[in-house]
Structures are given as structure tokens and as C-alpha cells.
């Protein structure tokens, strides 16, 4: 049972966290408050360094943090990690230490080839950084995935579970996986459903209504704003709760029209997306795009931000004062 997992395996270890964004900050503070010895490796004088110091965290240069660490947690963006590994981690990490990731992208797609004398593990909380922190503070936790890629010490799994316990994950649920499964399912979820699928569905719905002569403001409310109501129900109780809380008319429309929009052809295209993730096509394309200076990425992002739904939404959200009120 995950509830019995403790931080014992890291009791006498120094943990160095590289990165102090949303996840990095929550990891550092939760680990510290779990009684573990944790430092953060950041370039001195930067905004994240100042933020960490304000939080009372010990800040070292990345090189110094890595040199003294028994476990190094890499919580920087995916595309930054290969250079960080080759220039900072590999030359300074001591033999027998553990290297931890929160996403398996670079290990699975072999853009990082870890040294053979270290453990390589993964701990991925299934929630954003602020939730990982707030749930910990009230005595609960966010479920975590954990995995072992390389077990040099014979204790890699214990270290991963102890780290997850330090985040509060063992208070909720720990699920063992592997780097392949975590990476490929995470990328697929983002692309086919959560980001790519959802945003395109919203924009195409907006365009359909506006092109049919309906007012953009009303279209915005119907296809974007009210999506939160449905997502919250799905989040809280799955499809069962969503169907229980919407009208019979909405349910009937769900049954007769949903499969016409998201049909067998859509599923086949999802399978194609998954195949490109599995065979490394997406990783190669993304890595090449990053190295080229993000020309397509920048163009696509600009197009999304200039879509009419964003212009209408910006004005409508000014009237929704509750959106900017603290939770």
C-alpha cells in the first residue's frame, strides 16, 4: 500500500533540484517540509534564484548543487535538459547517485544517454505544481507515477518511492510505470485530447457558429466558457457525474451528435498521432524545431493567440471579475 511508503530511503541524502518553476518550487518546499535535506541549483541573481532565497531555500550554482548531491532532480523544460545534462550533470555528478526526472522524454527518446554508474528514476505527480503544494500543506497529497530506468545501486525503486512520499504522493496513490509508458501516454494526452484536441474542438465550434451568423460573444460562452462546467464534472466524477448533472436534452444531444463529431475516423487519426509518438517522429521533429529556433512553433502560437475567439474572450473576461479573485 502506498500509504505505508516513507521517506526513509532518503533520510541521510542530499537532494539537489534543478529548476524552480511551478513543479520545481513545489518539489523543493514539500521535500524540505518532509524533513529532507534539499538544495536548489540555479544561476545566481536570476528571478527564480531570488524567489527561492525568499522562500528560505539554500541556493547553489547548478554545478555545486550537483557535486554535493546524492539525488539530482531535473525539473527544467524538456528541450533544455540535454545540454544541462552534458554540461552540468554528467561532469559533476558523483558515482552511485540517483538522477530523477518528472517526465521521461529525454531518457526514453535517448537525447540523454545517462552514465552507467548512476541510478535513473522518474517521479511524476499527476497535478500542477500549485496543487502538489496546496494538497501537501493541508495534509493530503497528489497521486504520483514512479519508474526505474537504471538501477545501479539496487535501491533505485526505494529512492523513487521515498521521493514521491516526500512530495506527499504516498498519502494518495503511487502507481508504478516505466519511462516508455509515462512518456508516450503523456504526449498523446496532450496532443490528442487535453491541449491539441480540446483547443481545436473549441475553435472549430466557435468558427462554425460565427460563420452561421451567430454573435461571437454568444459563441464564446457556448463553446469555451461553459466547457469548464463540463470539465469540472468529468474531473470530479467521470462521465457518470457529468451525465447526472446535465439536462436530459443535453444527454440526448451527447448520444446522437457526439459520435458524429468524434467518430471512427477521428480515432484513426489519434492512432496515427500515437504511432508518431511511439516511433520517435514527434520527438525528432520537436527537437529539430527547437534547434532551428522555433520558427513553426512561433508562427502557430501567434495564429492561435490572434484567433477571433481570443479577441472576443479578452473583452468578455474583463467583465468576469471572479476570474481574478483569489481562490
Amino acid at each position: 500500500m502506498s500509504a505505508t511508503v516513507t521517506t526513509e530511503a532518503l533520510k541521510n541524502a542530499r537532494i539537489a533540484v534543478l529548476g524552480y518553476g511551478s513543479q520545481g518550487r513545489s518539489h523543493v518546499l514539500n521535500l524540505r517540509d518532509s524533513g529532507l535535506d534539499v538544495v536548489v541549483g540555479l544561476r545566481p541573481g536570476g528571478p527564480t534564484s531570488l524567489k527561492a532565497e525568499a522562500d528560505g531555500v539554500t541556493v547553489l550554482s547548478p554545478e555545486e548543487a550537483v557535486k554535493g548531491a546524492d539525488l539530482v532532480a531535473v525539473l527544467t523544460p524538456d528541450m533544455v535538459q540535454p545540454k544541462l545534462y552534458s554540461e552540468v550533470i554528467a561532469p559533476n555528478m558523483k558515482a552511485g547517485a540517483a538522477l530523477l526526472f518528472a517526465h521521461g522524454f529525454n531518457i526514453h527518446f535517448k537525447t540523454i544517454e545517462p552514465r552507467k554508474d548512476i541510478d535513473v528514476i522518474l517521479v511524476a505527480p499527476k497535478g500542477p505544481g500549485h496543487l502538489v503544494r496546496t494538497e501537501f500543506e493541508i495534509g493530503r497529497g497528489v497521486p504520483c507515477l514512479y519508474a526505474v530506468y537504471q538501477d545501479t545501486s539496487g535501491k533505485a525503486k526505494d529512492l523513487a518511492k521515498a521521493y514521491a512520499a516526500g512530495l506527499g504522493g504516498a498519502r494518495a496513490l503511487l502507481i508504478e510505470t516505466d519511462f516508455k509508458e509515462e512518456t508516450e501516454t503523456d504526449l498523446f494526452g496532450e496532443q490528442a485530447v487535453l491541449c491539441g484536441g480540446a483547443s481545436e474542438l473549441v475553435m472549430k465550434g466557435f468558427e462554425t457558429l460565427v460563420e452561421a451568423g451567430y454573435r461571437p460573444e454568444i459563441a464564446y460562452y457556448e463553446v469555451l466558457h461553459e466547457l469548464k462546467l463540463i470539465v469540472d464534472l468529468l474531473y470530479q466524477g467521470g462521465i457518470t457525474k457529468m451525465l447526472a448533472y446535465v439536462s436530459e436534452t443535453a444527454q440526448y444531444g451527447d448520444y446522437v451528435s457526439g459520435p458524429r463529431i468524434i467518430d471512427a475516423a477521428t480515432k484513426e487519426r489519434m492512432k496515427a498521432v500515437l504511432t508518431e509518438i511511439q516511433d520517435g517522429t514527434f520527438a525528432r521533429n520537436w527537437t529539430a524545431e527547437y534547434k532551428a529556433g522555433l520558427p513553426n512553433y512561433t508562427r502557430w502560437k501567434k495564429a492561435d493567440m490572434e484567433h477571433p475567439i481570443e479577441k472576443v474572450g479578452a473583452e468578455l473576461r474583463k467583465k468576469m471579475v471572479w476570474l481574478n479573485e483569489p481562490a
Side-chain angles (χ1 to χ4, degrees):
M1 295 290 291
S2 60
T4 64
V5 176
T6 71
T7 60
E8 183 65 25
L10 290 170
K11 183 178 179 181
N12 298 313
R14 164 155 285 198
I15 300 168
V17 174
L18 304 182
Y20 206 70
S22 176
Q23 281 289 345
R25 181 174 186 269
S26 68
H27 283 224
V28 169
L29 298 183
N30 288 10
L31 293 168
R32 180 192 67 183
D33 293 350
S34 292
L36 297 174
D37 178 12
V38 58
V39 300
V40 62
L42 298 168
R43 297 299 175 192
T48 52
S49 177
L50 297 175
K51 186 174 183 180
E53 290 172 353
D55 286 334
V57 175
T58 299
V59 178
L60 303 174
S61 71
E63 292 81 1
E64 288 303 311
V66 169
K67 284 179 183 178
D70 301 291
L71 185 151
V72 176
V74 184
L75 299 176
T76 58
D78 290 333
M79 291 297 102
V80 173
Q81 291 177 12
K83 183 177 181 181
L84 180 67
Y85 178 77
S86 64
E87 295 183 359
V88 175
I89 298 172
N92 294 297
M93 194 170 181
K94 64 185 180 183
L99 183 62
L100 180 145
F101 296 87
H103 180 39
F105 185 97
N106 284 298
I107 294 296
H108 177 56
F109 292 117
K110 302 189 184 305
T111 48
I112 291 177
E113 296 277 2
R115 282 172 22 197
K116 299 301 183 184
D117 61 347
I118 58 175
D119 291 340
V120 182
I121 58 180
L122 177 144
V123 174
K126 300 312 294 178
H130 71 85
L131 187 67
V132 173
R133 181 57 180 163
T134 56
E135 284 296 288
F136 180 92
E137 289 179 310
I138 61 176
R140 298 189 305 222
V142 170
C144 291
L145 306 183
Y146 71 96
V148 174
Y149 177 81
Q150 190 167 280
D151 186 5
T152 300
S153 68
K155 301 176 182 178
K157 183 182 290 190
D158 290 338
L159 294 174
K161 291 167 73 174
Y163 187 97
L167 299 184
R171 302 170 182 172
L173 177 67
L174 302 185
I175 302 175
E176 186 170 9
T177 183
D178 56 47
F179 276 65
K180 178 181 187 297
E181 183 176 56
E182 186 278 333
T183 301
E184 294 176 356
T185 57
D186 185 81
L187 292 174
F188 176 80
E190 290 171 350
Q191 294 174 34
V193 180
L194 304 177
C195 301
S199 61
E200 285 298 320
L201 186 65
V202 165
M203 287 192 288
K204 294 301 184 288
F206 177 86
E207 291 168 6
T208 299
L209 288 175
V210 172
E211 289 166 8
Y214 299 103
R215 280 179 284 180
E217 294 82 2
I218 292 175
Y220 174 89
Y221 278 117
E222 292 302 329
V223 303
L224 189 152
H225 179 79
E226 293 190 19
L227 184 62
K228 175 176 167 41
L229 306 177
I230 302 304
V231 170
D232 283 350
L233 292 171
L234 291 169
Y235 182 76
Q236 293 162 8
I239 294 171
T240 299
K241 183 166 184 176
M242 184 273 285
L243 293 174
Y245 278 78
V246 300
S247 70
E248 290 178 332
T249 302
Q251 289 183 52
Y252 180 73
D254 175 322
Y255 304 142
V256 301
S257 296
R260 295 170 63 195
I261 304 300
I262 310 298
D263 59 9
T266 307
K267 188 175 179 180
E268 286 304 309
R269 290 191 293 272
M270 285 184 170
K271 289 180 179 179
V273 168
L274 180 57
T275 296
E276 290 188 357
I277 291 169
Q278 291 170 327
D279 68 17
T281 299
F282 171 77
R284 289 191 296 273
N285 290 345
W286 173 218
T287 301
E289 174 73 14
Y290 186 83
K291 288 181 178 179
L294 303 174
N296 295 307
Y297 170 98
T298 302
R299 175 168 51 85
W300 294 328
K301 185 173 183 177
K302 182 174 184 289
D304 273 3
M305 294 177 71
E306 293 178 353
H307 190 279
I309 198 171
E310 283 301 284
K311 296 179 181 179
V312 171
E315 292 303 313
L316 293 176
R317 289 190 293 271
K318 291 177 183 178
K319 307 298 183 183
M320 302 181 217
V321 294
W322 62 88
L323 294 179
N324 296 316
E325 291 178 351

